[in-house]
Structures are given as C-alpha cells and as structure tokens.
Amino acid sequence: MLKIIDRYIVRKYLGTFSFMLVLLSIVVLVIDVQQKIPRIENAMALDPKLNLSYFLIHFYPFWIINLVMTFLSILVFISVIYFTSRMANNTEIVAIISSGASFHRFARPYLLTSLFIALLSLGINHFILPWANIQKNQLEAYTYNAAKKEKVMGIAPVSAQLSKTEYIFINSWNKREYRGSGFVYQKFDKNRKLAYELKAADVSWDKDKKIFVLNSYTEKTVNPDDTERLANGFDLKKKFGQGPDELFPNNLLGQNKTTPELLKFIARESEKGNSNLNAHLNELHQRTSMPVSIVILTFLALSLSSQKKRGGLGINLALGISLAFVFVFSFEALKIVSENKVLPPAVAMWLPNMVFMPLALVLYLRRANQ
C-alpha cells in the first residue's frame, strides 16, 4: 500500500515539476525574445548572420539551460507547494496518515525525489552547464543594452599579473577584436627593482598561432650594476603562457569552465597573487549550494503545505512565491556583497541554505509531531 502511495507522490512531484519547468521556459523565452529583438537587429549591422533565427538556434537553447539551472530550486519549491496543497485540500494526506503511516514515512518519497533532482542538478552544474555557457556567452553580449555591451565587448584599459613579479598593462584593448595599443610588460627582481621592460605601440592576438604580436616595440634590460641595455624593432611575437581571455578575464569566464578547470584557474590566479577572484569563487560554491537547496526547499514546502488551511491553495502559493523571491534575491544580493569583499564567497553562497535549513527543520518537526 505504502509503495503505491510512494509512486503516486513521486509521479505528482515529477509531473508538476516538469509542467512548471516547461511553462516557465516557454513564457520566459517568448518575453525575452520580444524584448531583445531590437538589440538582435542591431547585431545584424555588425554581422549579417546574427539574425533572429541564428539566435533561436545558437543562443536561446543554451540560455534556457542556464535559466532553468538558476531557478531550479525555486521551481521545485513552488511545485511541491502546489501539488501537496492540492493533496491536503482533497484530504488525501489525512487519509494516508490515518491509515497508520507516520508523517516521516509519508515524507520519504519527497526526500528520495528531491535527492534525485539534486544529484542530477549537481552533475549538470559542475560539468554540463559550463559547456552550455560557452555557447551562450559567445552571443550574450549582443543582447545587452549599449552601456553593458560596451563594458563587455568595447575598448577599455586592461591589466594582468602574470606572477608575483610580472605585470602587463594595455592602455586601450578591444575585447571583441583582441587588439590594442599602449602595451607595457614589466618584470621585477626579488628586491622589487625593475629588471626588464617591454613596450609596444600596438598589440594583437593571433588566434591561429596562439601568440601575441607586438608592433613598434622597445626593450629595456636593467643589469645588476644598474646599467641599461636597450633594443627595438618593428615586429615581435611573444607568449605569456595564456591567451587574452585568461589574462584579462571577465565574470563570464568562470561560467565557461567545468569545476576541475575552474579550480585550476583559481589556484593559478592565486599563485600569481591575484586577489580579485570572488566572482569566480561565487560561481564555484553556487554550483553545489543550489542543488543542496533543492532538498531544503522541498521539506520547507512540504511542511508549509501539508495541512489544509483556510484560503486553500491560493494562500500556500502566495506564501511559496514570496519565499521564493526572498531566496533568489538573497543569492543575487550576496553575490554583490561577496564581490565587494564584505563576505567570503563560501559564506555568501551558503548563507541562504544556512538560514533556510533550520527554518525547514523546525517547521518539519512541528508538522510531524502534530
């Protein structure tokens, strides 16, 4: 008997969740496409192939994957509230408990299904989502407004720390064309004295040969006796160990890397002395904290909606949607707090779970003991 009830609850859980998933994807896709059509038309001025059909095939499927994984725990939360409230209003839960099953036994299929979705989400977040983000991020900048597009694809000064003694500065770098002007490379000795300096009027990245090309360059080498040796030339090919996307990373770079790649990138940047890694650390911790929240929010939703209330389904959904917005907003707000170095990334990305877990536990135990 209980196994039949388990299968019934699992079907309800997965069925409602799948319906919510498809509904959200369709509604958000239609709204987003309508909003971004003028920007896509502007992209066609830069490249004729970037029409709406191209975006629907090469951008939006991967954008939807990113969207779904971002809101997955909230979809689970609302789905559980919805179908559990309906079961409570139909007195199905009362009948199950009256038959001799404990509330803990009734909650077992909720636990197993949420663990299944959480584990699936964990694998996708760490290994599949980065692949989707690579496809998405190649085109996403074209859908931004003018100011944000200029920030991601425009011309701006950039700098990089190659090691604790090596630095690169470029006065004007075109992020879309991978070329710039006003290049300076400096290397210092262990006493922090300049040992070598390379300057160039222009710099560009050769994607095929994976090498930087410097034009109209001058070199200065400082000898141990403080004398200088100068050299110059028109064309110099130089490697700095990494390409421009790695040397001058933006916040999207972390999204494009699988977790093993991201861990190596963070370790390498830490060894170089780069302290501006919080955005990438946020990405790393969120990939695990969000799947864990699926289990927490499942039991919070079960505790809130498993009793028949005055107001019925409507009051439960209103409460659920309100809590969902608080949960999502807290993650986004804490990302900004962490990037401003007010909180460590691990604390910021796990804080919503640390707050909601005790709340879910208290409400669950109170409901189980009624």
Side-chain angles (χ1 to χ4, degrees):
M1 176 67 179
L2 287 175
K3 289 184 178 180
I4 295 174
I5 295 172
D6 288 346
R7 288 195 293 270
Y8 174 73
I9 292 174
V10 169
R11 284 199 304 270
K12 284 277 190 179
Y13 193 141
L14 294 177
T16 307
F17 169 68
S18 300
F19 174 77
M20 293 280 188
L21 190 82
V22 173
L23 182 64
L24 174 75
S25 300
I26 293 173
V27 170
V28 174
L29 176 63
V30 171
I31 294 173
D32 195 77
V33 169
Q34 289 181 337
Q35 179 188 2
K36 290 177 178 174
I37 281 178
R39 298 174 190 173
I40 293 173
E41 290 174 348
N42 291 335
M44 290 177 62
L46 298 173
D47 189 342
K49 76 174 183 180
L50 299 179
N51 53 34
L52 180 59
S53 298
Y54 189 87
F55 273 84
L56 288 174
I57 296 171
H58 295 92
F59 172 72
Y60 275 106
F62 309 104
W63 179 82
I64 285 291
I65 294 173
N66 181 277
L67 179 80
V68 166
M69 297 312 298
T70 300
F71 292 98
L72 191 64
S73 55
I74 300 308
L75 283 171
V76 165
F77 184 57
I78 295 175
S79 299
V80 172
I81 281 185
Y82 179 76
F83 84 81
T84 306
S85 295
R86 292 194 63 182
M87 289 177 66
N89 288 340
N90 295 334
T91 65
E92 294 176 56
I93 297 176
V94 172
I96 293 169
I97 302 298
S98 299
S99 68
S102 68
F103 189 78
H104 299 302
R105 179 62 184 82
F106 168 73
R108 183 187 294 179
Y110 286 84
L111 173 62
L112 295 177
T113 311
S114 64
L115 283 173
F116 169 75
I117 296 174
L119 290 172
L120 185 63
S121 170
L122 197 66
I124 293 173
N125 277 353
H126 285 283
F127 297 100
I128 298 175
L129 184 59
W131 165 79
N133 285 335
I134 291 173
Q135 317 304 317
K136 172 183 75 75
N137 291 339
Q138 288 176 350
L139 294 170
E140 184 161 33
Y142 291 102
T143 67
Y144 292 158
N145 59 39
K148 194 172 181 181
K149 185 190 297 184
E150 180 64 23
K151 186 177 180 181
V152 175
M153 300 178 62
I155 300 172
V158 294
S159 61
Q161 185 173 350
L162 303 182
S163 69
K164 294 181 179 179
T165 59
E166 296 177 276
Y167 303 86
I168 288 178
F169 306 93
I170 302 178
N171 287 337
S172 178
W173 177 253
N174 189 315
K175 300 173 185 177
R176 185 165 63 91
E177 298 181 0
Y178 294 114
R179 62 175 61 251
S181 60
F183 173 90
V184 178
Y185 165 78
Q186 293 178 329
K187 185 174 183 179
F188 296 83
D189 61 20
K190 61 182 180 181
N191 297 318
R192 305 301 298 170
K193 288 180 61 178
L194 183 65
Y196 175 78
E197 184 177 66
L198 172 63
K199 292 184 177 181
D202 300 300
V203 58
S204 61
W205 171 250
D206 189 325
K207 293 182 180 179
D208 297 326
K209 297 180 179 179
K210 299 189 182 302
I211 199 167
F212 285 93
V213 180
L214 309 177
N215 297 320
S216 301
Y217 69 91
T218 60
E219 292 179 286
K220 179 172 72 174
T221 304
V222 181
N223 299 316
D225 59 358
D226 289 337
T227 59
E228 297 179 356
R229 186 172 70 252
L230 302 176
N232 62 71
F234 178 73
D235 182 79
L236 177 67
K237 294 179 173 61
K238 190 81 173 177
K239 287 187 176 182
F240 295 105
Q242 298 168 310
D245 289 334
E246 299 279 339
L247 288 174
F248 318 120
N250 55 34
N251 290 348
L252 298 178
L253 180 66
Q255 297 181 9
N256 296 350
K257 293 181 177 295
T258 63
T259 296
E261 293 169 344
L262 185 56
L263 286 169
K264 289 179 182 177
F265 172 76
I266 291 171
R268 186 169 64 242
E269 291 297 306
S270 297
E271 288 175 5
K272 287 161 43 177
N274 186 352
S275 60
N276 191 26
L277 294 171
N278 281 16
H280 305 300
L281 288 167
N282 286 341
E283 173 69 23
L284 177 66
H285 290 292
Q286 186 177 346
R287 290 180 182 182
T288 303
S289 65
M290 290 299 281
V292 170
S293 70
I294 290 173
V295 180
I296 296 171
L297 292 180
T298 291
F299 278 86
L300 180 60
L302 171 62
S303 305
L304 290 171
S305 58
S306 57
Q307 273 188 316
K308 189 172 184 178
K309 295 186 180 74
R310 183 176 298 176
L313 180 61
I315 191 67
N316 284 338
L317 278 178
L319 179 61
I321 292 171
S322 300
L323 285 172
F325 274 107
V326 169
F327 189 81
V328 171
F329 176 77
S330 65
F331 261 107
E332 296 305 314
L334 286 166
K335 277 184 184 179
I336 297 172
V337 169
S338 175
E339 289 174 13
N340 291 331
K341 300 184 178 179
V342 177
L343 281 176
V347 174
M349 292 297 95
W350 283 94
L351 189 58
N353 286 346
M354 292 163 63
V355 172
F356 275 76
M357 182 184 288
L359 176 63
L361 182 60
V362 168
L363 291 177
Y364 173 79
L365 292 175
R366 179 184 297 177
R367 175 65 184 93
N369 292 327
Q370 285 178 345

